[in-house]
Amino acid sequence: MQTTTLSFENMHQHGELFANMLRARHEWFIRHNHWDLPQAMGMEYDQYDNPASRWVVVHDEDGRVLAGNRLTPTTAKCGIYTYMIRDAQRGLLDTIPADLLYDEAPVAADVWESSRLFVSHHVPAAARRRVHAQLVMQLGVAARAVGAKSCLTLLAANWPRWAKRVKVDMTAMGPVMEIEGVMNQVVSMNFESAMQ
């Protein structure tokens, strides 16, 4: 199992890994979860897959994607869009409720958004916990590399069950709410203590 953090600067060094990650997202979010998301050539994408973002990908030696995640700075701005959680709060995304946060969405250089987190359903049950832990650990490494002290993320509301297992300090930032048939909640993952 390997982990790679992709950016527009380095993706050319990793062959088909970026495309494979978008294909794996298509498999998970569109085919498995039946979400109505943008797609082309068997790949899922959206407006946040742009040069401001980074992608953490857990994969095998053949480039088969096991898990993935996207990091976007909360300072990002492209046309009317910024980052997913903030844009939902601003009413720009009709599939995510605008009242997903207790307070106004942050815009700060040391706060990034983590989105599109998934573990492929092809990963055997016996390996899922290890793959998930590897993804979250590398997410922390990638976040700290760009100067983030914390990441906001929209997660399944069962996050308290596994937060300690992956050794990340998490705090609820919004109410539990149903989105696409799943109970979700915005959470802040604190990486500051790991930066000391």
Side-chain angles (χ1 to χ4, degrees):
M1 182 169 53
Q2 302 172 17
T3 310
T4 302
T5 300
L6 296 170
S7 68
F8 269 62
E9 280 186 321
N10 74 4
M11 71 173 62
H12 68 282
Q13 299 169 352
H14 299 281
E16 287 282 309
L17 188 58
F18 184 74
N20 288 344
M21 183 263 314
L22 294 177
R23 289 181 187 110
R25 280 179 25 185
H26 183 279
E27 174 82 16
W28 180 256
F29 294 112
I30 294 175
R31 293 185 66 201
H32 184 266
N33 288 354
H34 306 290
W35 291 2
D36 182 19
L37 297 171
Q39 59 181 306
M41 298 181 291
M43 298 179 222
E44 182 271 319
Y45 68 95
D46 64 24
Q47 62 270 33
Y48 309 107
D49 291 307
N50 62 56
S53 293
R54 307 289 186 276
W55 299 265
V56 177
V57 185
V58 180
H59 55 97
D60 65 17
E61 55 280 348
D62 296 323
R64 190 174 85 141
V65 174
L66 308 175
N69 183 77
R70 178 179 58 208
L71 287 169
T72 303
T74 61
T75 55
K77 187 163 176 50
C78 183
I80 63 170
Y81 297 105
T82 60
Y83 65 95
M84 192 177 69
I85 290 171
R86 183 167 183 252
D87 290 348
Q89 188 179 55
R90 294 166 59 217
L92 298 176
L93 305 177
D94 58 3
T95 57
I96 303 174
D99 58 350
L100 76 169
L101 289 169
Y102 295 133
D103 298 309
E104 189 172 336
V107 176
D110 62 352
V111 179
W112 282 52
E113 177 188 59
S114 165
S115 60
R116 288 297 195 267
L117 189 145
F118 71 94
V119 176
S120 171
H121 67 275
H122 296 294
V123 174
R128 291 183 74 77
R129 185 179 287 184
R130 189 167 53 94
V131 169
H132 186 247
Q134 181 70 25
L135 176 63
V136 174
M137 183 187 77
Q138 190 61 35
L139 168 62
V141 170
R144 289 188 300 275
V146 294
K149 294 179 181 175
S150 65
C151 285
L152 285 182
T153 187
L154 182 61
L155 292 175
N158 67 354
W159 64 268
R161 288 197 330 226
W162 54 264
K164 288 190 173 141
R165 283 195 302 238
V166 295
K167 299 180 176 141
V168 176
D169 176 29
M170 297 185 181
T171 306
M173 302 300 287
V176 173
M177 56 180 46
E178 184 178 340
I179 302 172
E180 303 276 348
V182 176
M183 300 309 287
N184 287 276
Q185 188 171 33
V186 175
V187 173
S188 176
M189 296 186 290
N190 179 13
F191 298 116
E192 189 169 17
S193 59
M195 295 173 78
Q196 305 296 331

